[in-house]
Amino acid sequence: MAGDAGSIPELDQKKYDAGEQVKIICLGDSAVGKSKLMERFLMDEYRPQQLSTYALTLYKHTATVGNKTVAIDFWDTAGQERFQSMHPSYYHKAHACIMVFDVQRKITYKNLANWYTELREFRPEIPCCVVANKIDADLKVTQRSFNFGKKQGIPFYFVSAADGTNVVKMFREMITRAVEYKQNPSDFMDEVLQELENFDLEEKEGPEADEVGLKTESPELE
Ligand SMILES: Nc1nc2c(ncn2[C@@H]2O[C@H](COP(=O)(O)OP(=O)(O)OP(=O)(O)O)[C@@H](O)[C@H]2O)c(=O)[nH]1
Ligand SMILES: [Mg+2]
């Protein structure tokens, strides 16, 4: 999918190293409502960018978290999930994950375990949530308990992309958690990347510091 996509600016994942860029991915079986949920959340600012060659849609959104403006890319697949597995570049640098199932189809709930295992292979620590979609079709389901994720302490939401129940709440909370994670990664690789980014900044500041050093040393040179 996006593995060798360096020439497509939208798929240049280096951008996610910048402080104000966040990537949130969506996982779940086909037809559970992943795309409809994003469309419902974004509504009027809805501007998906379809990258059909890569079976991928990026939904772009800007949000204010704390006092910071953050650009969020929501990654949505078109079809790859039918193979029950995603390309590693889908997970690459993701800061949060929304896992969706359809309350009307038990199998989509059962399959969450597989999606979760794959997610953790690539992104062991990123915040993630479980979303039970399509509750408008039968409100009684909200009385049932879906325990997947309870043990891992993963937040759970009953939502409906059709009538909008809980959609904004769920996305806002996930955006905040993604930004918090980015600022404070608990994943070893992310910590290393963060260190490298800081190191880069220090390097850039370097010449100025040297100049100061030279000035103070210059009397000795004379
Ligand atoms: N009743 C109801 N139907 C929904 C809801 N969300 C999505 N649907 C329907 O479910 C079908 C699949 O929705 P999509 O958003 O295309 O699902 P998807 O997960 O993106 O599917 P793929 O792109 O094939 O993986 C569509 O016919 C939607 O209209 C919902 O909240 N309630
Ligand atoms: Mg879709």
Side-chain angles (χ1 to χ4, degrees):
M1 189 171 63
D4 54 352
S7 57
I8 298 174
E10 281 310 320
L11 289 180
D12 176 8
Q13 301 214 45
K14 283 200 202 91
K15 69 180 173 183
Y16 299 121
D17 294 335
E20 66 287 354
Q21 288 271 358
V22 168
K23 169 178 173 180
I24 299 181
I25 57 174
C26 203
L27 287 180
D29 286 4
S30 191
V32 292
K34 301 181 294 295
S35 306
K36 286 279 176 248
L37 279 168
M38 298 203 194
E39 287 162 23
R40 163 60 75 161
F41 175 60
L42 300 172
M43 297 268 256
D44 32 338
E45 52 157 325
Y46 173 54
R47 45 188 176 107
Q49 185 158 18
Q50 238 119 25
L51 299 161
S52 51
T53 330
Y54 298 95
L56 183 69
T57 306
L58 299 190
Y59 295 85
K60 301 194 159 285
H61 176 62
T62 309
T64 308
V65 179
N67 52 7
K68 222 175 165 188
T69 305
V70 187
I72 300 123
D73 281 352
F74 291 106
W75 285 49
D76 181 29
T77 58
Q80 228 208 350
E81 66 274 26
R82 286 185 201 109
F83 304 105
Q84 304 292 319
S85 175
M86 303 299 295
H87 190 282
S89 59
Y90 190 72
Y91 297 100
H92 189 55
K93 295 192 183 185
H95 302 106
C97 173
I98 297 168
M99 293 197 300
V100 186
F101 74 99
D102 175 348
V103 286
Q104 303 294 304
R105 285 186 296 141
K106 209 172 173 181
I107 182 72
T108 66
Y109 177 66
K110 280 180 121 182
N111 283 338
L112 286 180
N114 303 331
W115 288 117
Y116 189 68
T117 304
E118 184 168 284
L119 169 72
R120 289 311 184 207
E121 261 171 46
F122 292 101
R123 304 297 282 146
E125 304 284 348
I126 62 170
C128 133
C129 72
V130 173
V131 170
N133 189 32
K134 308 196 190 182
I135 58 163
D136 58 283
D138 175 13
L139 278 175
K140 282 200 296 273
V141 293
T142 57
Q143 261 119 59
R144 281 178 42 199
S145 56
F146 294 91
N147 289 323
F148 177 81
K150 228 178 207 166
K151 254 200 312 205
Q152 290 100 338
I154 303 171
F156 181 94
Y157 301 87
F158 281 112
V159 307
S160 164
D163 69 18
T165 306
N166 274 337
V167 173
V168 171
K169 177 181 157 65
M170 181 274 287
F171 274 100
R172 289 232 173 105
E173 288 180 8
M174 288 311 287
I175 290 169
T176 305
R177 292 178 66 205
V179 171
E180 281 169 4
Y181 174 82
K182 178 149 193 179
Q183 286 163 351
N184 254 321
S186 43
D187 186 82
F188 172 69
M189 270 318 287
D190 280 2
E191 275 178 50
V192 172
L193 288 171
Q194 193 78 40
E195 282 297 314
L196 286 174
E197 202 185 317
N198 294 343
F199 184 71
D200 262 6
L201 287 174
E202 282 160 21
E203 286 281 280
K204 274 176 205 138
E205 283 161 11
E208 273 177 53
D210 284 355
E211 273 171 38
V212 174
L214 268 179
K215 272 176 208 143
T216 51
E217 275 167 32
S218 54
E220 279 176 38
L221 290 171
E222 280 169 4

